[in-house]
């Protein structure tokens, strides 16, 4: 038998992906500056120049998270790894954890608690609604032995934003630590780790940071560090054991694993861009594009799933208009416009669309492309359309909601 026996069934050559406009729930479009950063020479992960860059990366992440936590760094892996790192380090066998579920990703938190040998006390809220603080308060009163409260700040499956500050205040009144999922909110919505006293937080590189997937920014308070250092049982995961990672992301640079150097260049560049733009400006840009997209979608007959006060600007979930083939619309957008939007998950499969306006995808030209494409596709399906009305509504919304004057000099960074 020769090596030819294992040839692929067909000839395979270099892969060239099509140029898409990504307006789904993630990943978002990657900024050209970030793509360029990834193409720079690969360094060894213990190279002194690379370790200097790591220190800058940690500093930039502290700015993005608005925290002074020393243990702030990116995990090698997607947001799901960041989530698991929080739970495997903080949940001991037998621990009781209050977990808030108002969508898909709260459900994943429950499974993490169970896999760690803990007991999940589930606080349920309707999909599309934010976490109800009173329900959390009640659950904590009924379970005074609970150790942790875990919730999703920005639920990607529905576009609902919960009140992280209030939820953390409630948890701390009952002597609980907090684990907060900010995969979709970091960089796109106000997020203040120190002010809100969040204990453990994780996010992802592929949403509002305009970076490819594969890294999970995390941050831990000193309370969490003390908890992990004083564990009575070993962390069940070797790779995600904070006690071991402290040596690599600390000051001694003890070898732990081969870090994805070029991916870290990319995250560094994306965070430099966020720093140049300014957090407040980034939040305002996402909100402004949301208002414009909303104006156009409503002209086209779409109604939002989430009430206005709890809507994520970067993740717009709308009901599919009656009589529309939602799969065919998404197929046409990809085939004719190279435009991706997201479908519904779980009970909302086939019932909603999710329009992402994250990071580099949160641009005026993307909003206009999306609305114009929807007009044409709807018209082809027999829907009575007033051509240009959705775009006109969006233009009016832009004119009525200018970006803050003091930040306009930096708007060109991400516009």
């Amino acid at each position: 038998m020769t090596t030819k026996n294992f040839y692929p069934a067909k000839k395979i050559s270099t892969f060239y992906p099509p140029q898409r406009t990504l307006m789904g729930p993630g990943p978002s479009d990657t900024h050209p500056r970030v793509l360029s950063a990834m193409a720079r020479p690969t360094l060894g992960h213990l190279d002194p120049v690379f370790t200097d860059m790591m220190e800058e990366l940690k500093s930039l992440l502290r700015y993005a998270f608005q925290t002074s936590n020393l243990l702030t760094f990116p995990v090698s892996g997607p947001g799901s790894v960041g989530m698991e790192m929080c739970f495997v380090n903080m949940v001991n066998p037998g621990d009781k954890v209050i977990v808030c579920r108002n969508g898909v990703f709260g459900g994943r938190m429950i499974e993490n608690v169970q896999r760690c040998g803990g007991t999940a006390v589930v606080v349920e809220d309707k999909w599309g609604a934010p976490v109800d603080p009173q329900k959390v308060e009640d659950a904590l009163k009924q379970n005074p032995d609970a150790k942790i409260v875990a919730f999703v700040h920005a639920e990607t499956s529905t576009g609902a934003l919960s009140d992280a500050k209030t939820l953390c205040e409630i948890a701390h009144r009952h002597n609980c630590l907090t684990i907060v999922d900010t995969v979709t909110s970091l960089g796109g919505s106000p997020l203040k780790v120190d002010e809100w006293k969040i204990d453990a937080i994780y996010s992802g590189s592929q949403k509002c940071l305009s970076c490819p997937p594969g890294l999970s920014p995390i941050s831990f308070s000193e309370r969490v560090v003390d908890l992990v250092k004083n564990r009575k049982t070993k962390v069940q995961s070797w790779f995600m054991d904070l006690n071991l990672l402290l040596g690599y992301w600390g000051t001694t640079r003890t070898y732990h694993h081969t870090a994805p150097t070029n991916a870290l260049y990319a995250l560094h560049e994306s965070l430099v861009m966020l720093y140049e733009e300014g957090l407040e400006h980034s939040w305002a840009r996402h909100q402004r594009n949301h208002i414009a997209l909303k104006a156009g979608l409503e002209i086209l007959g779409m109604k939002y799933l989430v009430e206005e006060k709890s809507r994520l600007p970067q993740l717009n979930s709308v009901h599919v208009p009656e009589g529309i083939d939602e799969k065919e619309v998404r197929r046409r957008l990809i085939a004719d416009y190279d435009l991706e939007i997201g479908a519904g998950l779980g009970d909302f499969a086939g019932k909603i669309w999710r329009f992402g306006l994250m990071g580099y995808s949160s641009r005026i030209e993307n909003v206009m492309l999306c609305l114009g494409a929807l007009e044409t596709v709807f018209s082809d399906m027999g829907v009575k359309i007033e051509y240009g009305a959705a775009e006109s509504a969006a233009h009016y919304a832009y004119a009525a909601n200018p970006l803050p004057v003091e930040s306009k000099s930096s708007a060109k960074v991400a516009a």
Side-chain angles (χ1 to χ4, degrees):
M1 186 175 289
T2 68
T3 57
K4 292 183 179 180
N5 292 99
F6 299 97
Y7 274 3
K10 65 176 183 178
K11 183 179 180 180
I12 299 176
S13 56
T14 302
F15 175 66
Y16 292 98
Q19 182 65 56
R20 307 283 199 208
T21 297
L22 301 179
M23 292 184 66
S28 62
D29 291 337
T30 302
H31 196 283
R33 279 177 56 177
V34 178
L35 290 174
S36 175
M38 292 186 73
R40 292 168 191 160
T42 301
L43 292 173
H45 55 283
L46 296 175
D47 187 298
V49 174
F50 183 71
T51 56
D52 288 345
M53 187 275 290
M54 290 167 65
E55 288 303 307
E56 292 181 351
L57 222 173
K58 289 159 63 177
S59 178
L60 290 164
L61 276 177
R62 291 188 190 104
Y63 169 70
F65 277 127
Q66 291 290 279
T67 184
S68 57
N69 288 341
L70 292 178
L71 194 54
T72 303
F73 64 96
V75 179
S76 301
S80 297
V81 175
M83 171 177 60
E84 192 163 349
M85 176 169 280
C86 292
F87 284 93
V88 298
N89 281 279
M90 295 174 64
V91 180
N92 285 284
D95 283 354
K96 188 178 286 188
V97 182
I98 307 295
V99 183
C100 306
R101 176 167 58 188
N102 62 334
V104 168
F105 295 95
R108 293 188 180 182
M109 286 181 156
I110 295 169
E111 185 164 343
N112 270 268
V113 172
Q114 294 169 343
R115 286 172 180 261
C116 292
T119 299
V121 177
V122 183
V123 173
E124 295 275 10
D125 277 293
K126 181 182 176 182
W127 283 33
V131 174
D132 184 342
Q134 186 58 53
K135 289 183 180 179
V136 175
E137 181 84 55
D138 293 343
L140 285 165
K141 288 178 180 178
Q142 294 165 13
N143 297 274
D145 53 342
K147 301 290 183 65
I148 297 169
V149 173
F151 63 90
V152 179
H153 182 222
E155 179 53 70
T156 315
S157 63
T158 64
L161 180 69
S162 293
D163 184 351
K165 181 180 180 181
T166 297
L167 294 172
C168 288
E169 287 174 350
I170 293 170
H172 291 146
R173 280 205 305 270
H174 292 268
N175 299 313
C176 285
L177 295 171
T178 55
I179 298 175
V180 184
D181 177 327
T182 61
V183 170
T184 299
S185 52
L186 180 63
S189 295
L191 174 62
K192 302 178 180 181
V193 170
D194 282 4
E195 183 178 323
W196 299 350
K197 296 181 173 57
I198 296 172
D199 293 296
I201 191 167
Y202 61 91
S203 189
S205 57
Q206 77 277 17
K207 306 274 188 173
C208 296
L209 298 183
S210 311
C211 191
L215 292 169
S216 178
I218 60 173
S219 185
F220 295 104
S221 70
E222 285 301 314
R223 293 176 70 193
V224 175
V225 174
D226 290 342
L227 172 72
V228 175
K229 285 182 176 179
N230 292 296
R231 279 182 64 111
K232 295 179 181 179
T233 59
K234 272 191 173 183
V235 174
Q236 61 172 299
S237 168
W238 176 88
F239 181 77
M240 288 177 279
D241 187 341
L242 280 177
N243 288 306
L244 301 177
L245 279 166
L246 282 169
Y248 182 64
W249 280 98
T251 55
T252 57
R253 292 293 183 267
T254 305
Y255 171 70
H256 179 264
H257 70 280
T258 303
T261 53
N262 291 61
L264 290 168
Y265 300 165
L267 181 60
H268 181 278
E269 187 67 15
S270 73
L271 291 168
V272 166
M273 291 179 61
L274 181 64
Y275 170 74
E276 290 172 351
E277 181 180 8
L279 266 176
E280 292 86 355
H281 186 277
S282 180
W283 299 337
R285 172 170 57 85
H286 283 84
Q287 181 67 19
R288 183 176 188 241
N289 288 323
H290 156 71
I291 291 170
L293 178 66
K294 172 179 173 289
L297 293 178
E298 289 179 340
I299 288 291
L300 292 171
M302 283 175 251
K303 297 180 179 179
Y304 272 70
L305 171 68
V306 180
E307 290 186 9
E308 187 170 356
K309 64 181 180 180
S310 302
R311 281 180 200 154
L312 277 172
Q314 60 270 40
L315 202 290
N316 297 254
S317 292
V318 299
H319 294 283
V320 176
E322 189 174 346
I324 291 289
D325 184 338
E326 76 89 15
K327 286 185 180 179
E328 178 61 14
V329 170
R330 288 187 289 111
R331 187 198 70 79
R332 281 283 308 276
L333 291 176
I334 283 281
D336 298 348
Y337 297 93
D338 283 313
L339 173 63
E340 177 188 281
I341 65 172
L345 299 176
D347 291 342
F348 288 129
K351 298 177 182 178
I352 67 169
W353 287 314
R354 291 179 295 158
F355 293 88
L357 287 171
M358 304 179 193
Y360 189 50
S361 291
S362 187
R363 291 181 286 160
I364 293 173
E365 55 264 47
N366 284 9
V367 170
M368 293 305 174
L369 168 65
C370 182
L371 294 175
L374 286 170
E375 282 185 345
T376 301
V377 173
F378 280 12
S379 179
D380 290 348
M381 291 179 149
V383 179
K384 188 176 180 180
I385 292 294
E386 181 184 348
Y387 282 108
E391 295 100 311
S392 294
H395 277 301
Y396 180 84
Y398 279 124
N401 296 279
L403 285 169
V405 174
E406 65 271 16
S407 298
K408 281 186 176 179
S409 61
S410 59
K412 61 185 178 183
V413 172

